[in-house]
Amino acid sequence: MLSCLDRKRAAILDSPATGVPRGPYAYRHLTLTSHVMKLPRGSRTGTVRKKMEEQKVVERWEASSWNKRRTALVARKVLSDFGRFEVMILKKRRRDATRKTIHKEKKAVA
């Protein structure tokens, strides 16, 4: 977000690295993150691109847990019925292996 236009109407956004075109956006369509860039007021797209590369904003976002959760949710949404079935089977196997390991440890302690 480069600058604020109004208290609730819109903000000027620009993100050349991620393909977000420069323009006004309503606040209700935005979610603010803790990833902050230091920019001079009224920066143009070229300056924003350079600062994003210098400050590695995209790399920090890719490494964030928020992005990882979001990516996983998108991957789960596009699964077919068979894909969801495979996920269920893998979860059952993992749960069974965990249960067996815990049971063995309890037996060894007792």
Side-chain angles (χ1 to χ4, degrees), residues 62-81:
E62 296 288 332
S64 71
S65 61
W66 188 356
N67 179 51
K68 290 176 184 176
R69 277 194 313 265
R70 198 168 160 266
T71 306
L73 284 174
V74 169
R76 291 290 293 272
K77 278 186 178 181
V78 299
L79 285 177
S80 64
D81 187 40

Side-chain angles (χ1 to χ4, degrees), residues 20 29 35 37 57 59 69 77-78 103 108:
V20 176
H29 298 294
H35 301 286
M37 276 186 3
V57 174
E59 289 83 6
R69 277 194 313 265
K77 278 186 178 181
V78 299
H103 185 69

